[in-house]
Amino acid sequence: MEKTVIRTEAAPAPFQGAPYNQAIVAGDLVFVAGQLGLKPGDTTVEGDITQQTEQALANLAAILDAAGSSMEQLVKTSVFLQDLDDFAAMNEVYARFVGERPPARSTFQVAKLPAGAVVEIEAVAHL
């Protein structure tokens, strides 16, 4: 199976030049790397859980669009939270982005995320 690298300026480049891509298309699926609440071109994350979740999902949407997919085509997401007490606030923003047919999802509390982020979201979508 061939894999296609997806790259868009509408979302942040790999964090600190790390060896990964924003997304890979393999077959009819798009695998999107974890997205922080980092604005394209920025090196630090700012804002609370609501603002960071909003930006992380905007980044995810931009990458899916560049791949020829969309948020409506999401089939699985994984959400990593620095503090599980942020679950409700993250969920409010998340619900607005994923619509009435949300994907399957896992949510984890983790010890630390890059750049002081409080949320990271990765995804798999259908083309």
Side-chain angles (χ1 to χ4, degrees), residues 48-62:
D48 62 12
I49 184 63
T50 300
Q51 294 162 315
Q52 287 190 35
T53 302
E54 183 97 25
Q55 185 62 50
L57 289 166
N59 295 339
L60 178 62

Side-chain angles (χ1 to χ4, degrees), residues 3 6 17 19 21 25 28 32-34 49 53 57-58 76 87 96 116 120:
K3 68 179 188 179
I6 302 301
N21 288 297
V25 172
D28 60 355
V32 183
I49 184 63
T53 302
L57 289 166
K76 172 72 169 83
F87 183 84
R96 287 196 326 259
E120 181 173 354

Side-chain angles (χ1 to χ4, degrees), residues 6 23-26 28-32 63-64 67-69 123-127:
I6 302 301
I24 295 290
V25 172
D28 60 355
L29 296 175
V30 183
F31 298 86
V32 183
I63 294 167
L64 288 173
S69 186
V124 178
H126 195 267
L127 285 176

Side-chain angles (χ1 to χ4, degrees), residues 85-105:
D85 288 342
D86 287 335
F87 183 84
M90 175 278 299
N91 222 29
E92 274 188 46
V93 176
Y94 183 92
R96 287 196 326 259
F97 274 82
V98 297
E100 294 186 20
R101 291 181 26 177
R105 182 180 85 188

